[in-house]
Amino acid sequence: MPNIVLTRIDNRLLHGQVATQWTKAIGANLILVANDEVASNKMRQGLMDMAAPTGVATRYWTIQKTIDTIHKAADRQHIFIICESPEDVLKLVEGGVPIDKVNIGNMHMAAGKRQVAGTVAVDDKDVDAFRALRNHGVELEIRKVPTESKDNIEKLFS
């Protein structure tokens, strides 16, 4: 079974805050960005690689490749999965990726979304995905950085 130390939803994907604070706090040595668009965009991958800490490997896989390949991970790989949306995380879980905890970091405000926490805005589709994740037994937390306390997750559903 893959050693997934944390899965995070952040529509910025891999950036400085994720790279420096979260990776160190959770002891990850592999950052896996599971995102269909980034998997084929070498320029975005290059920019994200610049943010990755020294000594931490990066992978940029589609959602399907993550589902198909993650079970081949070595025990020594402490994997930090980053997804753009709750829908992508739900696809991973329903595809058999053993995710038991999801950190909700950044979900930008956009048309049709409502702000539920400082850096988290959701629409009905997001809420449905969070409900489904919770029904799968996945623990959800809203927290921007590891040093902050967790926000009330029920804000997502009100």
Side-chain angles (χ1 to χ4, degrees):
M1 173 154 5
N3 185 2
I4 299 169
V5 292
L6 185 65
T7 301
R8 177 177 169 93
I9 297 169
D10 191 324
N11 45 352
R12 299 169 298 172
L13 297 170
L14 176 54
H15 57 88
Q17 186 180 69
V18 166
T20 57
Q21 295 185 43
W22 280 105
T23 304
K24 183 178 179 184
I26 62 175
N29 59 16
L30 173 64
I31 298 171
L32 168 54
V33 175
N35 181 276
D36 291 345
E37 192 275 325
V38 171
S40 61
N41 187 326
K42 296 294 183 196
M43 186 178 84
R44 282 191 69 190
Q45 291 176 23
L47 292 170
M48 288 186 217
D49 280 342
M50 285 191 266
T54 305
V56 176
T58 54
R59 301 284 184 278
Y60 302 96
W61 291 352
T62 63
I63 298 298
Q64 191 59 52
K65 182 173 181 177
T66 303
I67 291 167
D68 295 343
T69 309
I70 193 115
H71 294 284
K72 298 175 185 175
D75 290 342
R76 70 181 180 281
Q77 292 175 306
H78 298 208
I79 305 167
F80 181 15
I81 298 176
I82 306 171
C83 292
E84 190 171 31
S85 71
E87 294 82 13
D88 284 350
V89 175
L90 182 59
K91 287 176 193 171
L92 293 177
V93 169
E94 290 179 341
V97 177
I99 293 170
D100 54 14
K101 181 177 182 178
V102 174
N103 165 260
I104 304 155
N106 263 21
M107 294 178 63
H108 294 307
M109 184 58 130
K113 294 199 176 222
R114 60 193 176 278
Q115 200 83 29
V116 295
T119 59
V120 179
V122 297
D123 58 20
D124 292 342
K125 193 169 84 169
D126 297 327
V127 172
D128 290 345
F130 285 129
R131 276 200 181 95
L133 286 167
R134 197 159 63 172
N135 290 341
H136 281 288
V138 176
E139 177 189 343
L140 303 173
E141 71 168 26
I142 299 172
R143 191 160 44 141
K144 190 165 70 173
V145 293
T147 53
E148 282 183 353
S149 57
K150 297 175 187 175
D151 211 333
N152 181 0
I153 198 66
E154 292 308 314
K155 290 179 177 182
L156 290 174
F157 305 104
S158 55

